[in-house]
Structure formats: structure tokens, C-alpha cells
């Protein structure tokens, strides 16, 4: 699904933010990207899909998504690939949703643009998805604005939005930050079911090692702009080799850090 070789991120002035690393995602996998704030995990994922902010640039030897070389695609081909096949749930729900556009128009935009169906069909799917993620009165939400929603409701809207075009890959960037522990469990189980029943591949970006341990098949650990360790999740927790990873595993398991 994704195959990246020697990807790095830096500023236009040449200051390195993420050291070169390799990444791959197989069909049906749940892969975790763990790191503390500022470790480079989010911008690394953005760089994989050519979604970096304009102030940053990336380099790589190979960047393949869905058997397509991203750097060789035309703008139209790129928009179609990313718009249809990749769903993205951001960490900052307030900035991601437009404050002056009704929720229904934001949910319909990609669906209609990529010709997934008519507006009527899109509204039906949006309503069903909002119900699926546990939001009551979806019609009221669709006709409302982001400032009328709580943080948890915005996150659920983003989850529904990410599913509108039936993507094959979904990126979850700190998907449970605005949620309480009960809702966190419900959301993660929801995505686990999508992964198991529909074969959707997931990338979970988080600073929560417990989520990595419970839900992922493989994981990458970032520390100070460098990918310091990667392994199958069970091996990562049973035999971590990098000091930073060992310390994190000990804290996660309630052990004394040595």
C-alpha cells in the first residue's frame, strides 16, 4: 500500500527535521508511529503523501502509494489518488474543519468531486456515517457549523468525513486526544472493526504506547527527529533495543525506569 525509501524532511534553509528513514504499509495492516511531541512523527507522515506545509520540504529515493510513484503523478492524478484512497483524521480538529462552511458541504465536497455519487447519495452516506460514529441527530449536525460542536463531536465528524469516499488507507493522527477513556475505546474498536471487516490499512500516529501495544501489528518509534526503532509490536514490547524505547515500554507497563 505504501513503500517509502530514505525519506527525510528539512526546512528550505536546509535544517534537518527528520533524518532519512524507510517505511512500508501492507494491505490490511495497522501500523503505529509513536513519538513524543516534536519527535517528527506527524510531519513524517505528511511527507509520505506530499502533504507537508509550504515551509517544509522532503526528499526520498522512492515514494510509492498504491503502486503509484507520487513524484511522477500529475496534479490531477495526485488529487484523485489521495482524495479517493486515503482518509486523514487530523489531531487539530478545529483547524481542519472550516468554521464558515456547514458540515454537510464539507462532507459532500470530496464525495461529489471524485464522483462517488450524487449529492443526495452523499447526504445519505454522511447521515449514516455520523450515526455510525455515535452522533445523535445527524441532520442537525450536517446543517450546523464546527463552532457548535464539542471537541469530541468534532473528532467524530472528522472520522465520518475520512470515510466518505471509502478509502483503502486511513491515517489517524492522535485520534483519541479529545476523547474520554470510554469513548477512546469505542473509537479504536470502531477502526479495528473497519480494518478486520473491510481490509482497510491504518496508520496510527500517537504518543500513547498503550494504544500502540493493543491495536497495531508493527510500529515505528521516533525520537528527536529520528526513527530509532521499528519491529513487530509484540517484539517491540518484549525485546526493545533502543534505550528510548526500553524506557517507554517500562513506563507503559508500570515498571521502574532504569
Amino acid at each position: 500500500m505504501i513503500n517509502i525509501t530514505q525519506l527525510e524532511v528539512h526546512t528550505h534553509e536546509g535544517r534537518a527535521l527528520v533524518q532519512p528513514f524507510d517505511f512500508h504499509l501492507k494491505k490490511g495492516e495497522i501500523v503505529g508511529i509513536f513519538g513524543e511531541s516534536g519527535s517528527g512523527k506527524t510531519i513524517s507522515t505528511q511527507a509520505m503523501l506530499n502533504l507537508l506545509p509550504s515551509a517544509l520540504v522532503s526528499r526520498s529515493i522512492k515514494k510509492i502509494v498504491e503502486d503509484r510513484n507520487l513524484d511522477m503523478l500529475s496534479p490531477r492524478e495526485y488529487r484523485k489518488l489521495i482524495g479517493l484512497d486515503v482518509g486523514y483524521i487530523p489531531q487539530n480538529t478545529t483547524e481542519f474543519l472550516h468554521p464558515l462552511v456547514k458540515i454537510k458541504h464539507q462532507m459532500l465536497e470530496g464525495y461529489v468531486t471524485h464522483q462517488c455519487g450524487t449529492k443526495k447519495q452523499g447526504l445519505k452516506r454522511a447521515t449514516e456515517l455520523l450515526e455510525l460514529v455515535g452522533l445523535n441527530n445527524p441532520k442537525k449536525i450536517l446543517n450546523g457549523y464546527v463552532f457548535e460542536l464539542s471537541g469530541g463531536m468534532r473528532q467524530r465528524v472528522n472520522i465520518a468525513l475520512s470515510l466518505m469516499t471509502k478509502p483503502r488507507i486511513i491515517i489517524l493522527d492522535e485520534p483519541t486526544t479529545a476523547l474520554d477513556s470510554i469513548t477512546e475505546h469505542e473509537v479504536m474498536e470502531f477502526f479495528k472493526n473497519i480494518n478486520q471487516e473491510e481490509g482497510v490499512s491504518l496508520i496510527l500516529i500517537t504518543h500513547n504506547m498503550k494504544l500502540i501495544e493493543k491495536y497495531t501489528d508493527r510500529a515505528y518509534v521516533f525520537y528527536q527527529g529520528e526513527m530509532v526503532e521499528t519491529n513487530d509490536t509484540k517484539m517491540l514490547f518484549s525485546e526493545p533495543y533502543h534505550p528510548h524505547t526500553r524506557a517507554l515500554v517500562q513506563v507503559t507497563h508500570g515498571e521502574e525506569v532504569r
Side-chain angles (χ1 to χ4, degrees):
M1 304 293 284
I2 298 179
N3 191 3
I4 309 288
T5 304
Q6 292 295 284
L7 177 66
E8 59 184 291
V9 181
H10 53 87
T11 65
H12 287 283
E13 293 74 27
R15 182 168 66 90
L17 299 179
V18 178
Q19 299 296 327
F21 71 98
D22 297 345
F23 178 90
H24 67 275
L25 173 72
K26 298 177 182 177
K27 179 175 174 56
E29 267 193 320
I30 303 179
V31 170
I33 297 180
F34 174 85
E36 298 169 337
S37 297
S39 62
K41 59 187 185 296
T42 294
I43 61 173
S44 295
T45 310
Q46 291 172 337
M48 293 178 199
L49 302 172
N50 291 351
L51 294 173
L52 280 173
S54 58
L56 304 178
V57 292
S58 67
R59 284 195 296 258
S60 64
I61 294 175
K62 180 171 61 177
K63 193 182 293 181
I64 307 296
V65 178
E66 290 279 312
D67 296 324
R68 310 289 296 277
N69 187 331
L70 288 192
D71 295 329
M72 300 297 289
L73 297 180
S74 68
R76 182 178 180 182
E77 290 172 327
Y78 170 80
R79 286 193 299 270
K80 184 177 181 180
L81 175 65
I82 299 300
L84 277 175
D85 288 345
V86 180
Y88 180 65
I89 299 170
Q91 181 176 358
N92 193 326
T93 57
T94 303
E95 290 184 3
F96 192 73
L97 293 169
H98 199 293
L100 302 179
V101 178
K102 287 186 176 182
I103 299 296
K104 66 179 179 181
H105 296 312
Q106 299 185 59
M107 295 192 71
L108 281 174
E109 183 179 9
Y111 186 87
V112 174
T113 298
H114 296 294
Q115 299 179 336
C116 298
T118 64
K119 287 185 178 181
K120 183 177 180 180
Q121 292 170 328
L123 282 173
K124 183 174 183 294
R125 178 162 177 77
T127 301
E128 292 171 347
L129 287 173
L130 290 177
E131 291 176 340
L132 190 64
V133 299
L135 286 172
N136 298 320
N137 203 344
K139 290 185 178 179
K140 180 179 179 180
I141 291 173
L142 286 170
N143 284 290
Y145 298 87
V146 62
F147 60 80
E148 299 173 314
L149 307 177
S150 67
M153 293 173 74
R154 288 196 299 269
Q155 190 68 314
R156 289 175 183 267
V157 167
N158 273 309
I159 291 170
L161 179 60
S162 75
L163 297 170
M164 281 294 291
T165 59
K166 299 182 179 179
R168 291 155 55 89
I169 301 168
I170 299 178
I171 299 170
L172 317 172
D173 191 352
E174 301 285 7
T176 61
T177 298
L179 308 177
D180 58 49
S181 59
I182 295 175
T183 309
E184 174 186 277
H185 174 76
E186 293 174 350
V187 167
M188 290 308 303
E189 288 297 316
F190 172 78
F191 278 108
K192 183 178 178 181
N193 289 337
I194 288 177
N195 167 258
Q196 293 177 339
E197 295 175 8
E198 301 182 25
V200 177
S201 301
L202 305 177
I203 299 175
L204 172 62
I205 307 169
T206 183
H207 65 273
N208 187 333
M209 281 289 274
K210 291 182 179 180
L211 293 183
I212 294 288
E213 184 175 26
K214 184 174 182 179
Y215 290 105
T216 67
D217 303 306
R218 290 187 300 109
Y220 294 78
V221 180
F222 278 78
Y223 178 60
Q224 295 184 348
E226 182 179 1
M227 194 275 287
V228 296
E229 185 165 0
T230 180
N231 211 332
D232 292 341
T233 302
K234 288 183 180 180
M235 289 295 293
L236 190 75
F237 278 83
S238 63
E239 299 181 23
Y241 67 81
H242 192 275
H244 182 63
T245 310
R246 286 201 299 270
L248 293 170
V249 169
Q250 289 174 343
V251 171
T252 301
H253 290 167
E255 302 171 5
E256 183 179 349
V257 179
R258 298 179 180 178

